[in-house]
Amino acid sequence: MSQSQVDDAVPSTPEPKPVRFGPLRLSAGTTRINISTYYWMALTSIMMFTFIPAIQTAVLTAILDVPRDQQGSVVGIAGLLAEIILIAVVGVAGAWSDRIGRRPVVAGGYALIGLGLAMAPFVGGVLPYYVARSIAAVGVAMVTVMLTAVVADYVRNETRGTANGFVGVCNGIGAVATYFFLVKLPDIFEGSGMGEVAALRTTYLVVAGLALLTALAMQLGLRGGQAIVQTERIPLLKLLREGVTEARRPGVSFAYTSAFVARADLALVGAYLTLWAQQYGSEVLGLSEAEALAKAGILLGVANGVALVGAPMIGIIADKLTRTDAVIISLGTAAVGYCATLLVDNPFSLTGYLVAALIGLGQVCAVISSQVLIAEQAPTRTRGSVIGTFSLSGGIGIMIAFAAGGPLYDGWRPAGPFVLFGVLAAVACVYGLIVRSRITHAEAD
């Protein structure tokens, strides 16, 4: 019998039909429980990430007795430390997860977030508070890098775009839930008869408990074993060398510039808009810290609610126009929103809510459009370095927002950090208009 007859006689094993989760096509070995657990991760992670800066002003005032004219600087230092830790840890966490699997890294990250949250309201001073924030920041970094790595493992390439769109929806829902529910817990607990400090500590313990329960859920629900998609780890010097070299391309340099502004937007809204609203509520309106926090949550909920609507809108604009035009429109919106804070005396006035909505819209549009632009413009040969440099540019933007924002907030006015980045967003927008005609919109090399 010839070899061809043998081949014909032995039936080939058909490739197993991929499991579907709605419109998603899952990779081999991934179950619906695995992907559902991942989306719970996307939802709860943003709740933790936004809760930490949102509630810290109440802790600085009610527990640590930090003078109000120094709170902007304390918030800035805490945020700066968290971002430095993020930059230092993400590469290590990604490489570690390639060796031992994603599941223990995700579960460990949530456990550290829970530990940091449980410690924060019981510390006796600002320095121990920084330690608690730093422990939580290590966990945040571990979970952050896994949000990208896990979805790459679980979903086939042809539906990863849709999968990431669902992540954005989960993030938006999580942020809104934080501001409309979690930050109102101290006020709810005070209404049940607790004292101010006890209400804050109980709130922290509730959220820490949620983080620890989520760590357990991750351990039970995520897929075990080795990673499928390996996380590329590029040495920092090589990353910078290749990333800076590619900045000669106008599309890449504009994406770097937009990342610098867009990532800082997230820091400004989470830290300084919350601080401004809480201080105004307690100092001018005479509210308790818990009541001021709850009222601030509504303002931040408006900003994030508009962001939830704006996310798909900017995606449509990017498809109808060009990626560059989408970024220019986003930066222009952010610039107007941030500079408009100069018109706001009462953040809870109609003007305050309108400006918060405009800030939320500009924030999400800048983040999403800049990510879409770099995905298009990054050359295949140096894609890892270019995207790494893009992320590093965003990290530098956050660090400057915290380093300069605190002194501007305390020394000038609450609108100071917003005005600084409103001007920077305007400069980035003008740069985009200058290089617009030189940016080629096609598939990456």
Coordinates of all heavy atoms in Angstrom, one line a residue, residues 17-115:
K17 N -13.9 22.7 17.3 CA -14.6 23.9 17.0 C -14.4 24.8 18.2 O -14.6 24.4 19.4 CB -16.1 23.6 16.9 CG -16.9 24.8 16.5 CD -18.4 24.5 16.2 CE -19.2 25.7 15.8 NZ -20.6 25.3 15.6
P18 N -14.0 26.1 18.0 CA -13.7 27.0 19.1 C -15.0 27.3 19.9 O -16.1 27.4 19.4 CB -13.2 28.3 18.4 CG -13.7 28.2 17.0 CD -13.8 26.8 16.7
V19 N -14.8 27.4 21.2 CA -15.9 27.8 22.1 C -16.2 29.3 21.9 O -15.3 30.1 21.7 CB -15.5 27.6 23.6 CG1 -16.6 28.1 24.5 CG2 -15.2 26.1 23.8
R20 N -17.5 29.6 21.8 CA -17.9 31.0 21.6 C -18.5 31.6 23.0 O -19.1 30.8 23.8 CB -19.0 31.1 20.5 CG -18.5 30.6 19.2 CD -19.5 31.1 18.1 NE -19.5 32.5 17.9 CZ -18.7 33.1 16.9 NH1 -17.9 32.4 16.1 NH2 -18.8 34.4 16.8
F21 N -18.2 32.8 23.2 CA -18.8 33.6 24.3 C -19.4 34.8 23.7 O -18.7 35.8 23.5 CB -17.7 33.9 25.3 CG -18.2 34.6 26.6 CD1 -18.8 33.9 27.6 CD2 -18.1 36.0 26.7 CE1 -19.3 34.5 28.7 CE2 -18.5 36.6 27.8 CZ -19.1 35.9 28.8
G22 N -20.7 34.7 23.4 CA -21.3 35.8 22.6 C -20.6 35.9 21.2 O -20.4 34.9 20.5
P23 N -20.1 37.1 20.8 CA -19.4 37.2 19.6 C -18.0 36.8 19.6 O -17.3 36.8 18.6 CB -19.6 38.7 19.3 CG -19.6 39.4 20.6 CD -20.4 38.4 21.5
L24 N -17.5 36.5 20.8 CA -16.0 36.2 20.9 C -15.8 34.7 20.6 O -16.5 33.8 21.0 CB -15.6 36.4 22.4 CG -15.8 37.9 22.9 CD1 -15.2 38.0 24.3 CD2 -15.3 38.9 22.0
R25 N -14.6 34.5 20.0 CA -14.1 33.1 19.7 C -13.0 32.9 20.6 O -11.9 33.5 20.6 CB -13.7 33.0 18.2 CG -14.9 33.1 17.2 CD -14.4 33.3 15.8 NE -13.5 32.2 15.3 CZ -14.0 31.1 14.7 NH1 -15.3 31.0 14.5 NH2 -13.2 30.2 14.3
L26 N -13.2 31.9 21.5 CA -12.2 31.7 22.6 C -11.1 30.8 22.1 O -11.3 29.9 21.2 CB -12.8 31.1 23.8 CG -14.0 31.9 24.4 CD1 -14.5 31.2 25.7 CD2 -13.7 33.3 24.7
S27 N -9.9 30.9 22.7 CA -8.7 30.1 22.3 C -8.9 28.7 22.9 O -9.7 28.5 23.8 CB -7.4 30.7 22.8 OG -7.5 30.8 24.3
A28 N -8.2 27.7 22.4 CA -8.3 26.4 22.8 C -8.0 26.3 24.3 O -7.0 26.8 24.8 CB -7.3 25.5 22.0
G29 N -8.8 25.6 25.0 CA -8.6 25.4 26.4 C -9.3 26.4 27.3 O -9.3 26.3 28.5
T30 N -9.8 27.5 26.7 CA -10.5 28.5 27.5 C -12.0 28.3 27.6 O -12.6 28.0 26.5 CB -10.2 29.9 26.8 OG1 -8.8 30.2 26.8 CG2 -10.9 31.0 27.6
T31 N -12.5 28.3 28.8 CA -13.9 28.1 29.0 C -14.7 29.4 29.2 O -14.1 30.4 29.4 CB -14.1 27.2 30.2 OG1 -13.8 27.9 31.4 CG2 -13.3 25.9 30.1
R32 N -16.0 29.3 29.1 CA -16.8 30.5 29.4 C -16.6 31.0 30.8 O -16.7 32.2 31.1 CB -18.3 30.1 29.1 CG -18.6 29.9 27.6 CD -20.1 29.7 27.4 NE -20.4 29.4 26.0 CZ -20.4 28.2 25.4 NH1 -20.3 27.1 26.2 NH2 -20.7 28.0 24.2
I33 N -16.4 30.1 31.7 CA -16.1 30.5 33.1 C -14.8 31.3 33.2 O -14.7 32.3 33.9 CB -16.0 29.3 34.1 CG1 -17.4 28.6 34.2 CG2 -15.5 29.7 35.4 CD1 -17.4 27.4 35.1
N34 N -13.8 30.8 32.4 CA -12.5 31.6 32.4 C -12.7 33.0 31.9 O -12.3 34.0 32.5 CB -11.5 30.9 31.5 CG -11.1 29.5 31.9 OD1 -10.8 28.7 31.1 ND2 -11.1 29.3 33.2
I35 N -13.4 33.2 30.8 CA -13.6 34.5 30.2 C -14.5 35.4 31.1 O -14.3 36.6 31.2 CB -14.1 34.4 28.7 CG1 -13.9 35.8 28.0 CG2 -15.5 33.9 28.6 CD1 -12.5 36.2 27.8
S36 N -15.5 34.7 31.7 CA -16.4 35.5 32.6 C -15.6 36.0 33.8 O -15.8 37.1 34.2 CB -17.6 34.6 33.0 OG -18.4 34.2 32.0
T37 N -14.7 35.2 34.3 CA -13.9 35.6 35.4 C -13.0 36.8 35.0 O -12.8 37.7 35.8 CB -13.0 34.4 35.9 OG1 -13.9 33.3 36.3 CG2 -12.2 34.8 37.1
Y38 N -12.5 36.7 33.8 CA -11.7 37.8 33.3 C -12.5 39.1 33.3 O -11.9 40.2 33.6 CB -11.1 37.5 31.9 CG -10.5 38.7 31.2 CD1 -9.2 39.1 31.6 CD2 -11.2 39.4 30.3 CE1 -8.7 40.3 31.1 CE2 -10.6 40.5 29.7 CZ -9.4 41.0 30.1 OH -8.8 42.1 29.6
Y39 N -13.7 39.1 32.8 CA -14.5 40.3 32.7 C -14.9 40.8 34.1 O -15.0 42.0 34.3 CB -15.7 40.1 31.8 CG -15.3 40.2 30.4 CD1 -15.5 39.2 29.5 CD2 -14.7 41.4 29.9 CE1 -15.1 39.2 28.2 CE2 -14.3 41.5 28.6 CZ -14.5 40.4 27.7 OH -14.1 40.5 26.4
W40 N -15.0 39.9 35.1 CA -15.1 40.3 36.5 C -13.9 41.1 36.9 O -13.9 42.1 37.7 CB -15.5 39.2 37.4 CG -15.6 39.5 38.8 CD1 -14.7 39.2 39.8 CD2 -16.6 40.3 39.4 NE1 -15.1 39.7 41.0 CE2 -16.3 40.4 40.8 CE3 -17.8 41.0 39.0 CZ2 -17.1 41.1 41.7 CZ3 -18.6 41.7 39.8 CH2 -18.2 41.8 41.2
M41 N -12.7 40.6 36.5 CA -11.5 41.2 36.8 C -11.4 42.6 36.2 O -11.0 43.6 36.8 CB -10.3 40.4 36.2 CG -8.9 41.0 36.2 SD -7.8 39.9 35.3 CE -6.4 40.9 35.1
A42 N -11.9 42.8 34.9 CA -11.9 44.1 34.3 C -12.8 45.1 35.0 O -12.5 46.2 35.1 CB -12.4 43.9 32.8
L43 N -13.9 44.5 35.5 CA -14.9 45.4 36.3 C -14.4 45.8 37.6 O -14.4 47.0 38.0 CB -16.2 44.6 36.4 CG -17.3 45.3 37.2 CD1 -17.9 46.5 36.4 CD2 -18.5 44.3 37.5
T44 N -13.9 44.8 38.4 CA -13.5 45.1 39.8 C -12.1 45.8 39.8 O -11.9 46.6 40.8 CB -13.4 43.8 40.6 OG1 -12.5 42.9 39.9 CG2 -14.7 43.2 40.8
S45 N -11.3 45.6 38.9 CA -10.0 46.3 38.9 C -10.1 47.8 38.8 O -9.5 48.5 39.5 CB -9.1 45.8 37.7 OG -9.6 46.1 36.5
I46 N -11.0 48.2 37.9 CA -11.2 49.7 37.8 C -11.9 50.2 39.0 O -11.6 51.4 39.4 CB -12.0 50.1 36.5 CG1 -11.7 51.5 36.1 CG2 -13.5 49.8 36.7 CD1 -10.4 51.8 35.7
M47 N -12.7 49.4 39.7 CA -13.3 49.9 40.9 C -12.2 50.1 42.0 O -12.2 51.2 42.7 CB -14.3 48.8 41.5 CG -15.5 48.7 40.6 SD -16.6 47.3 41.1 CE -17.3 48.0 42.7
M48 N -11.2 49.2 42.1 CA -10.1 49.4 43.0 C -9.3 50.6 42.6 O -8.9 51.5 43.5 CB -9.2 48.2 43.1 CG -10.0 46.9 43.4 SD -10.7 46.9 45.0 CE -11.9 45.5 44.8
F49 N -9.0 50.7 41.3 CA -8.1 51.8 40.9 C -8.6 53.1 41.1 O -7.9 54.1 41.4 CB -7.8 51.6 39.4 CG -7.1 50.3 39.0 CD1 -7.0 49.9 37.6 CD2 -6.6 49.4 39.9 CE1 -6.4 48.7 37.3 CE2 -6.0 48.2 39.6 CZ -5.9 47.9 38.2
T50 N -10.0 53.3 41.0 CA -10.6 54.6 41.2 C -10.9 54.9 42.6 O -10.9 56.0 43.1 CB -11.9 54.7 40.3 OG1 -12.7 53.6 40.6 CG2 -11.5 54.8 38.8
F51 N -11.2 53.8 43.4 CA -11.5 54.0 44.8 C -10.4 54.6 45.6 O -10.5 55.5 46.4 CB -12.0 52.7 45.4 CG -12.2 52.7 46.9 CD1 -13.4 53.2 47.4 CD2 -11.2 52.3 47.8 CE1 -13.6 53.2 48.8 CE2 -11.4 52.3 49.1 CZ -12.6 52.8 49.6
I52 N -9.2 54.1 45.3 CA -8.0 54.5 46.1 C -7.8 56.0 46.1 O -7.7 56.6 47.2 CB -6.7 53.7 45.6 CG1 -6.9 52.2 46.0 CG2 -5.5 54.2 46.2 CD1 -5.8 51.3 45.3
P53 N -7.7 56.6 44.9 CA -7.5 58.1 45.0 C -8.8 58.8 45.4 O -8.7 59.9 45.9 CB -7.1 58.5 43.5 CG -7.6 57.4 42.7 CD -7.6 56.1 43.5
A54 N -10.0 58.3 45.1 CA -11.2 59.0 45.3 C -11.4 59.2 46.8 O -12.0 60.3 47.2 CB -12.4 58.2 44.7
I55 N -11.1 58.3 47.7 CA -11.4 58.4 49.1 C -10.3 58.9 49.9 O -10.5 59.2 51.1 CB -11.8 57.0 49.6 CG1 -12.7 57.1 50.9 CG2 -10.6 56.1 49.8 CD1 -13.4 55.8 51.3
Q56 N -9.1 59.1 49.3 CA -8.0 59.4 50.2 C -8.1 60.8 50.9 O -7.5 61.0 52.0 CB -6.7 59.4 49.4 CG -6.5 60.4 48.3 CD -5.2 60.2 47.5 OE1 -4.3 59.6 47.9 NE2 -5.2 60.8 46.3
T57 N -8.8 61.7 50.3 CA -8.9 63.1 50.9 C -9.6 63.0 52.2 O -9.2 63.6 53.2 CB -9.7 64.0 50.0 OG1 -9.0 64.1 48.7 CG2 -9.7 65.4 50.6
A58 N -10.6 62.1 52.3 CA -11.3 62.0 53.6 C -10.4 61.4 54.6 O -10.4 61.7 55.8 CB -12.5 61.1 53.4
V59 N -9.5 60.4 54.2 CA -8.6 59.9 55.2 C -7.6 60.9 55.6 O -7.2 61.0 56.8 CB -7.9 58.6 54.5 CG1 -6.8 58.1 55.4 CG2 -8.9 57.6 54.2
L60 N -7.0 61.7 54.7 CA -6.1 62.7 55.1 C -6.6 63.7 56.1 O -5.9 64.2 57.0 CB -5.6 63.5 53.8 CG -4.9 62.7 52.7 CD1 -4.5 63.5 51.6 CD2 -3.7 61.9 53.3
T61 N -7.9 64.0 55.9 CA -8.6 65.0 56.8 C -9.0 64.4 58.1 O -8.6 64.9 59.2 CB -9.8 65.6 56.1 OG1 -9.4 66.2 54.9 CG2 -10.4 66.7 57.0
A62 N -9.8 63.3 58.1 CA -10.4 62.8 59.3 C -9.5 61.9 60.1 O -9.7 61.9 61.3 CB -11.7 62.0 58.9
I63 N -8.6 61.2 59.5 CA -7.8 60.3 60.2 C -6.3 60.8 60.4 O -5.8 60.7 61.5 CB -7.7 58.9 59.5 CG1 -9.2 58.3 59.5 CG2 -6.8 57.9 60.2 CD1 -9.3 57.0 58.7
L64 N -5.7 61.4 59.4 CA -4.3 61.8 59.5 C -4.2 63.2 59.9 O -3.0 63.7 60.1 CB -3.6 61.5 58.2 CG -3.6 60.0 57.7 CD1 -2.8 59.8 56.4 CD2 -3.0 59.1 58.8
D65 N -5.2 64.0 59.9 CA -5.2 65.4 60.3 C -4.2 66.2 59.4 O -3.5 67.1 59.9 CB -4.8 65.6 61.8 CG -5.9 65.0 62.7 OD1 -7.1 65.2 62.3 OD2 -5.6 64.4 63.7
V66 N -4.1 66.0 58.2 CA -3.3 66.7 57.3 C -4.0 68.1 57.0 O -5.1 68.1 56.6 CB -3.0 66.0 55.9 CG1 -2.2 66.8 55.0 CG2 -2.3 64.7 56.2
P67 N -3.3 69.2 57.2 CA -3.9 70.5 56.9 C -4.4 70.6 55.4 O -3.7 70.0 54.5 CB -2.8 71.5 57.2 CG -1.9 70.8 58.1 CD -1.9 69.4 57.7
R68 N -5.5 71.2 55.2 CA -6.0 71.3 53.9 C -5.1 71.9 52.9 O -5.1 71.6 51.7 CB -7.4 72.0 53.9 CG -8.4 71.2 54.7 CD -9.8 71.8 54.5 NE -10.8 71.1 55.3 CZ -11.4 69.9 55.0 NH1 -11.1 69.3 53.9 NH2 -12.3 69.4 55.9
D69 N -4.3 72.9 53.3 CA -3.4 73.6 52.4 C -2.2 72.8 52.0 O -1.3 73.2 51.3 CB -3.0 75.0 52.9 CG -2.3 74.9 54.2 OD1 -2.1 73.8 54.8 OD2 -1.8 75.9 54.7
Q70 N -2.1 71.5 52.6 CA -1.0 70.6 52.3 C -1.5 69.4 51.6 O -0.7 68.5 51.2 CB -0.2 70.3 53.6 CG 0.4 71.4 54.3 CD 1.1 71.0 55.6 OE1 1.4 69.9 55.8 NE2 1.3 72.0 56.5
Q71 N -2.8 69.2 51.5 CA -3.3 67.9 51.0 C -3.0 67.7 49.5 O -2.8 66.6 49.0 CB -4.8 67.9 51.2 CG -5.1 67.7 52.7 CD -6.6 67.6 52.9 OE1 -7.5 67.6 52.0 NE2 -7.0 67.4 54.2
G72 N -2.9 68.8 48.7 CA -2.6 68.7 47.3 C -1.2 68.1 47.1 O -1.0 67.2 46.3
S73 N -0.3 68.5 47.9 CA 1.1 67.9 47.8 C 1.1 66.5 48.3 O 1.8 65.7 47.7 CB 2.1 68.8 48.7 OG 2.1 70.1 48.2
V74 N 0.4 66.1 49.3 CA 0.4 64.7 49.8 C -0.2 63.8 48.7 O 0.3 62.7 48.4 CB -0.4 64.6 51.1 CG1 -0.6 63.1 51.5 CG2 0.3 65.4 52.2
V75 N -1.3 64.3 48.1 CA -2.0 63.5 47.0 C -1.0 63.4 45.9 O -0.9 62.3 45.3 CB -3.2 64.3 46.6 CG1 -3.7 63.7 45.2 CG2 -4.3 64.1 47.6
G76 N -0.2 64.4 45.6 CA 0.7 64.4 44.5 C 1.8 63.4 44.7 O 2.2 62.6 43.8
I77 N 2.4 63.4 45.9 CA 3.5 62.4 46.3 C 3.0 61.0 46.2 O 3.6 60.1 45.7 CB 4.1 62.8 47.6 CG1 4.8 64.1 47.6 CG2 5.0 61.7 48.1 CD1 5.2 64.7 48.9
A78 N 1.8 60.8 46.8 CA 1.2 59.4 46.8 C 1.0 58.9 45.4 O 1.3 57.8 45.0 CB -0.1 59.4 47.6
G79 N 0.5 59.8 44.5 CA 0.3 59.4 43.1 C 1.6 59.2 42.4 O 1.7 58.3 41.5
L80 N 2.6 60.0 42.7 CA 3.9 59.9 42.0 C 4.5 58.5 42.4 O 5.1 57.8 41.6 CB 4.8 61.0 42.4 CG 6.2 61.1 41.8 CD1 6.1 61.2 40.3 CD2 7.0 62.3 42.4
L81 N 4.5 58.2 43.7 CA 5.0 56.9 44.2 C 4.3 55.8 43.5 O 5.0 54.8 43.0 CB 4.9 56.8 45.7 CG 5.8 57.6 46.6 CD1 5.4 57.5 48.0 CD2 7.2 57.1 46.4
A82 N 3.0 55.8 43.3 CA 2.3 54.8 42.7 C 2.7 54.6 41.2 O 2.8 53.5 40.8 CB 0.8 55.0 42.8
E83 N 2.9 55.7 40.5 CA 3.3 55.6 39.1 C 4.7 55.1 39.0 O 5.0 54.3 38.0 CB 3.1 57.0 38.5 CG 3.3 56.9 37.0 CD 2.2 56.0 36.3 OE1 1.1 55.8 36.9 OE2 2.5 55.5 35.2
I84 N 5.6 55.5 39.8 CA 7.0 54.9 39.8 C 7.0 53.4 40.0 O 7.6 52.7 39.3 CB 7.9 55.6 40.8 CG1 8.1 57.1 40.4 CG2 9.2 54.9 40.9 CD1 8.8 57.9 41.5
I85 N 6.2 53.0 40.9 CA 6.0 51.5 41.2 C 5.4 50.8 40.0 O 5.9 49.7 39.6 CB 5.2 51.3 42.5 CG1 6.0 51.7 43.7 CG2 4.7 49.9 42.6 CD1 5.1 51.8 45.0
L86 N 4.4 51.4 39.4 CA 3.8 50.8 38.2 C 4.8 50.6 37.1 O 4.9 49.5 36.5 CB 2.7 51.7 37.7 CG 1.9 51.2 36.5 CD1 1.1 50.0 36.8 CD2 1.0 52.3 35.9
I87 N 5.6 51.6 36.8 CA 6.6 51.5 35.8 C 7.6 50.5 36.1 O 8.1 49.7 35.2 CB 7.3 52.9 35.5 CG1 6.3 53.9 34.9 CG2 8.5 52.8 34.6 CD1 6.8 55.3 34.8
A88 N 8.0 50.4 37.4 CA 9.0 49.4 37.8 C 8.5 48.0 37.8 O 9.3 47.0 37.5 CB 9.6 49.8 39.2
V89 N 7.2 47.8 38.1 CA 6.7 46.4 38.3 C 6.1 45.7 37.1 O 6.2 44.5 37.0 CB 5.7 46.5 39.5 CG1 4.9 45.1 39.6 CG2 6.4 46.8 40.8
V90 N 5.6 46.5 36.2 CA 4.8 45.9 35.1 C 5.6 44.9 34.2 O 5.2 43.8 33.9 CB 4.1 46.9 34.2 CG1 3.0 47.6 34.9 CG2 5.1 47.9 33.6
G91 N 6.9 45.3 33.9 CA 7.7 44.4 33.1 C 8.0 43.1 33.9 O 8.0 42.0 33.3
V92 N 8.4 43.2 35.2 CA 8.7 42.1 36.0 C 7.4 41.2 36.1 O 7.5 39.9 36.0 CB 9.2 42.5 37.4 CG1 9.4 41.3 38.3 CG2 10.4 43.3 37.3
A93 N 6.3 41.8 36.3 CA 5.1 41.0 36.5 C 4.7 40.2 35.2 O 4.3 39.1 35.2 CB 3.9 41.9 36.9
G94 N 4.9 40.9 34.0 CA 4.6 40.2 32.8 C 5.5 39.1 32.5 O 5.1 38.0 32.1
A95 N 6.9 39.2 32.8 CA 7.8 38.2 32.6 C 7.5 37.0 33.5 O 7.6 35.8 33.2 CB 9.2 38.7 32.7
W96 N 7.2 37.4 34.8 CA 6.9 36.4 35.8 C 5.7 35.5 35.4 O 5.7 34.3 35.6 CB 6.7 37.1 37.1 CG 6.6 36.2 38.3 CD1 7.2 35.0 38.5 CD2 5.8 36.4 39.5 NE1 6.9 34.5 39.8 CE2 6.0 35.3 40.4 CE3 5.0 37.5 39.9 CZ2 5.4 35.3 41.6 CZ3 4.4 37.4 41.2 CH2 4.6 36.3 42.0
S97 N 4.7 36.2 34.9 CA 3.5 35.5 34.5 C 3.7 34.5 33.3 O 3.0 33.5 33.2 CB 2.4 36.4 34.1 OG 2.6 37.0 32.9
D98 N 4.7 34.8 32.5 CA 5.0 33.9 31.4 C 5.6 32.6 31.9 O 5.4 31.5 31.4 CB 6.1 34.5 30.5 CG 5.6 35.6 29.6 OD1 4.3 35.7 29.4 OD2 6.4 36.5 29.1
R99 N 6.3 32.6 33.1 CA 6.9 31.4 33.6 C 5.9 30.6 34.5 O 5.8 29.4 34.4 CB 8.1 31.8 34.5 CG 9.2 32.4 33.7 CD 10.5 32.2 34.3 NE 11.4 33.2 34.8 CZ 11.5 34.5 34.5 NH1 10.7 35.1 33.8 NH2 12.5 35.2 34.9
I100 N 5.1 31.3 35.4 CA 4.3 30.6 36.3 C 2.8 30.6 36.0 O 2.0 30.0 36.6 CB 4.5 31.1 37.8 CG1 4.0 32.6 37.9 CG2 6.0 31.1 38.2 CD1 4.0 33.1 39.3
G101 N 2.5 31.3 34.9 CA 1.1 31.4 34.5 C 0.4 32.8 35.0 O 1.0 33.4 35.9
R102 N -0.7 33.1 34.4 CA -1.3 34.4 34.7 C -2.0 34.4 36.0 O -2.1 35.3 36.8 CB -2.3 34.8 33.6 CG -1.8 34.6 32.2 CD -0.7 35.5 31.8 NE -0.5 35.6 30.4 CZ 0.7 35.9 29.8 NH1 1.7 36.2 30.5 NH2 0.8 35.9 28.5
R103 N -2.6 33.2 36.3 CA -3.5 33.1 37.5 C -2.9 33.5 38.8 O -3.5 34.4 39.5 CB -4.1 31.7 37.6 CG -5.2 31.6 38.6 CD -5.9 30.2 38.5 NE -5.0 29.1 38.7 CZ -5.4 27.8 38.6 NH1 -6.6 27.5 38.1 NH2 -4.5 26.9 38.8
P104 N -1.7 33.0 39.2 CA -1.2 33.4 40.5 C -0.8 34.9 40.5 O -0.8 35.5 41.6 CB 0.0 32.5 40.6 CG 0.3 32.0 39.3 CD -0.9 32.0 38.5
V105 N -0.4 35.5 39.4 CA 0.0 36.9 39.4 C -1.3 37.8 39.6 O -1.2 38.7 40.4 CB 0.7 37.3 38.0 CG1 1.0 38.8 38.0 CG2 1.9 36.5 37.9
V106 N -2.4 37.4 38.9 CA -3.6 38.2 39.1 C -4.1 38.0 40.6 O -4.4 39.1 41.2 CB -4.7 37.7 38.2 CG1 -6.0 38.4 38.4 CG2 -4.3 37.9 36.7
A107 N -4.2 36.8 41.1 CA -4.6 36.6 42.4 C -3.7 37.3 43.4 O -4.2 37.9 44.4 CB -4.7 35.1 42.7
G108 N -2.4 37.2 43.2 CA -1.5 37.9 44.1 C -1.6 39.4 44.1 O -1.5 40.1 45.1
G109 N -1.9 40.0 42.9 CA -2.1 41.4 42.8 C -3.3 41.9 43.6 O -3.2 42.9 44.3
Y110 N -4.4 41.1 43.5 CA -5.6 41.5 44.2 C -5.4 41.4 45.7 O -5.9 42.2 46.5 CB -6.8 40.7 43.8 CG -7.6 41.2 42.6 CD1 -7.5 40.7 41.4 CD2 -8.5 42.3 42.8 CE1 -8.2 41.2 40.3 CE2 -9.2 42.8 41.7 CZ -9.0 42.2 40.5 OH -9.7 42.7 39.4
A111 N -4.6 40.4 46.1 CA -4.3 40.2 47.5 C -3.5 41.4 48.1 O -3.8 41.9 49.2 CB -3.5 38.9 47.8
L112 N -2.6 41.9 47.3 CA -1.8 43.0 47.7 C -2.6 44.3 47.8 O -2.5 45.1 48.7 CB -0.6 43.2 46.8 CG 0.6 42.2 46.9 CD1 1.6 42.4 45.9 CD2 1.2 42.3 48.3
I113 N -3.5 44.4 46.8 CA -4.5 45.6 46.8 C -5.3 45.5 48.1 O -5.4 46.5 48.8 CB -5.4 45.6 45.6 CG1 -4.6 45.9 44.3 CG2 -6.5 46.6 45.8 CD1 -5.4 45.7 43.0
G114 N -5.8 44.3 48.4 CA -6.6 44.2 49.7 C -5.8 44.5 50.9 O -6.3 45.2 51.8
L115 N -4.5 44.0 51.0 CA -3.7 44.3 52.1 C -3.4 45.8 52.3 O -3.5 46.4 53.4 CB -2.3 43.6 52.0 CG -1.3 43.8 53.0 CD1 -1.8 43.4 54.4 CD2 0.0 43.1 52.7

